[in-house]
Amino acid sequence: MSAFFGKTFAFWVIAAAIIAFYFPDALKFLAGYISILLGIVMFGMGLTLRAKDFSEVVKRPVDVIIGVVGQFAIMPLLAYILCLVLQLPAEIAVGVILVGCCPGGTASNVMTFLGRGDVPLSVTISACTTVMAPVVTPALIYLFAQQWVSVDPVSMFMSILYIMVLPIVAGVVVNALFGGFVRSAVSVMPMISVFAIVAIVVAVVAVSRDQIARTGLLIFAVVILHNVLGLALGYALAKAFRMDLKKRKALSIEVGMQNSGLGVALAMAHFNPLSAVPAAIFSVWHNISGPVLATVFANMNDDQDNDDSASGEGNDFSDEHEEFAAPAQGAAQQA
C-alpha cells in the first residue's frame, strides 16, 4: 500500500486539491492541523537519518559547502528576481520567497538515487541545510521579503524549531533507541507522508479558494519557472566547479527541490493564507518534475559515472533508505 500511494502521489494531491477547490467549507478545518501534519512528515524524515548521513562533510567538505551555498543562494535569489520581474502581488511574492528560502528534503535524495547521481552528497547537503534552516531560513526571508511584508525572524525561528527540528530530533532518537523495530516499520512512512502532504495541500486550497480562482495561473507559472531554473542553475553551478556527472546530478536536484511543506506551515503561521499557495503548488509540481528529470539523468553517462557505478560508489541510498526508493522508482517509471 505504501508503494502504491508513493507511486500515485501526484494523482492524489491533484485530486484532493480539486475537491478542496469545489468544497472548501467542508475542509477548512484542516488548516488548524498543518503544523502537526508537517511535524509527522519531519518525524518520518528523522527516522531515516543516521550519523553517517553527515559523513561527507568530513570526506568532501568543499563539495558539501558548494551544495549548501547553492541551496541557500540560488533559490532565494531566483525567487526575489522573479517577484520583481513579474511584479507579483505581495501575498504571492512572499509565498514564492518562502519556498526559495526553505532547505532541501528527502525527496531530493530519492530523485538523486533514481537519476544515478551522488546520493551520499545529496543526503549530506539535505541534512546540513535542514540543521541550518532554523537560523538561515528566517534570515533569508527577512532579507528578501521585508519590502513586501513585515517579517519577524525570531518568531519564525521558533516556528521552524517546533515544526521541523524537534520532530526530526525525535525521529533520530527513536531510530537510535529502537533501530530494529524502526527498520521493520518505517516502510509505511511514505504512505503516511503522502496522506499528511495531501491534507496540507487540501487545507491551503480550501482556505485560499477565492484567491486561487483569481491568481491560480500566475502562481502555477512562477512556481514552474522557479523550479526549472533552480534545477538548471544547480547543474550549472556544479559544472562551473568542474564536478563530475554524478555530483552535477546531485546538485541540480538538491538546489531545485525544496521542503515546500515547511513553506506552507510558515506561510499559514506568519502571513496571509494565499502566501501558502505557491508552496502547496510547488509540492505538487516538484513531484512531477523530479521524476522526469531523474529519468533523464538516469540515461546520461560519462566515464567517471561508469567507474563509480561499477564500484558501487554513491549508491548507499539503496541499502540505507530502501523504504523510500521503491515507491519513488515507480513514479519515475510512470513519468
Side-chain angles (χ1 to χ4, degrees):
M1 287 181 65
S2 186
F4 170 75
F5 282 107
K7 292 175 184 178
T8 56
F9 172 77
F11 167 79
W12 295 113
V13 173
I14 293 170
I18 292 172
I19 293 171
F21 186 84
Y22 286 103
F23 303 98
D25 293 336
L27 297 165
K28 287 181 179 179
F29 74 94
L30 288 171
Y33 300 95
I34 286 178
S35 295
I36 296 173
L37 291 166
L38 181 61
I40 292 171
V41 176
M42 294 297 100
F43 177 75
M45 179 180 176
L47 289 177
T48 68
L49 283 177
R50 299 166 177 83
K52 68 180 297 182
D53 292 336
F54 295 89
S55 62
E56 301 302 304
V57 176
V58 177
K59 295 178 182 177
R60 296 182 286 171
V62 174
D63 292 344
V64 174
I65 290 171
I66 292 170
V68 170
V69 172
Q71 171 74 53
F72 281 134
I74 290 175
M75 291 301 273
L77 279 170
L78 267 178
Y80 181 71
I81 292 169
L82 287 172
C83 292
L84 292 178
V85 171
L86 299 177
Q87 298 182 343
L88 299 179
E91 295 87 352
I92 298 175
V94 171
V96 174
I97 289 171
L98 276 173
V99 173
C101 296
C102 286
T106 304
S108 61
N109 309 149
V110 176
M111 294 307 134
T112 301
F113 167 73
L114 296 177
R116 298 178 65 237
D118 191 328
V119 179
L121 179 62
S122 174
V123 171
T124 302
I125 293 172
S126 292
C128 289
T129 56
T130 298
V131 169
M132 296 167 64
V135 174
V136 177
T137 294
L140 289 172
I141 293 171
Y142 178 79
L143 175 65
F144 290 109
Q146 62 176 329
Q147 76 177 67
W148 284 282
V149 294
S150 176
V151 179
D152 184 352
V154 175
S155 177
M156 207 166 288
F157 167 83
M158 297 305 297
S159 292
I160 297 175
L161 196 66
Y162 290 132
I163 294 170
M164 187 174 76
V165 177
L166 292 182
I168 289 176
V169 170
V172 171
V173 171
V174 170
N175 186 25
L177 295 177
F178 309 102
F181 173 77
V182 168
R183 281 187 288 275
S184 64
V186 77
S187 60
V188 77
M189 286 308 299
M191 181 173 65
I192 295 174
S193 295
V194 166
F195 284 135
I197 294 171
V198 167
I200 290 171
V201 171
V202 165
V204 172
V205 172
V207 299
S208 309
R209 189 260 185 202
D210 294 337
Q211 296 96 322
I212 292 173
R214 292 193 298 269
T215 60
L217 289 177
L218 175 63
I219 298 175
F220 267 102
V222 71
V223 164
I224 292 172
L225 195 58
H226 191 196
N227 174 241
V228 171
L229 287 174
L231 294 168
L233 289 176
Y235 190 92
L237 175 68
K239 192 168 185 178
F241 281 93
R242 301 180 181 277
M243 292 183 173
D244 63 40
L245 181 59
K246 279 184 174 290
K247 295 178 184 177
R248 297 201 298 268
K249 293 175 182 179
L251 256 69
S252 171
I253 294 172
E254 200 62 39
V255 169
M257 297 186 70
Q258 306 291 90
N259 187 340
S260 50
L262 177 62
V264 170
L266 292 177
M268 294 296 289
H270 299 278
F271 304 106
N272 189 292
L274 181 59
S275 300
V277 176
I281 293 176
F282 199 101
S283 180
V284 179
W285 170 251
H286 80 181
N287 280 284
I288 296 172
S289 65
V292 171
L293 183 62
T295 303
V296 172
F297 278 166
N299 289 285
M300 293 173 61
N301 249 320
D302 64 8
D303 294 337
Q304 179 66 41
D305 194 25
N306 286 331
D307 293 341
D308 290 346
S309 296
S311 64
E313 183 181 341
N315 287 303
D316 298 353
F317 191 77
S318 58
D319 298 324
E320 296 294 327
H321 300 270
E322 186 177 356
E323 65 275 7
F324 291 101
Q329 191 166 13
Q333 289 170 347
Q334 289 180 342

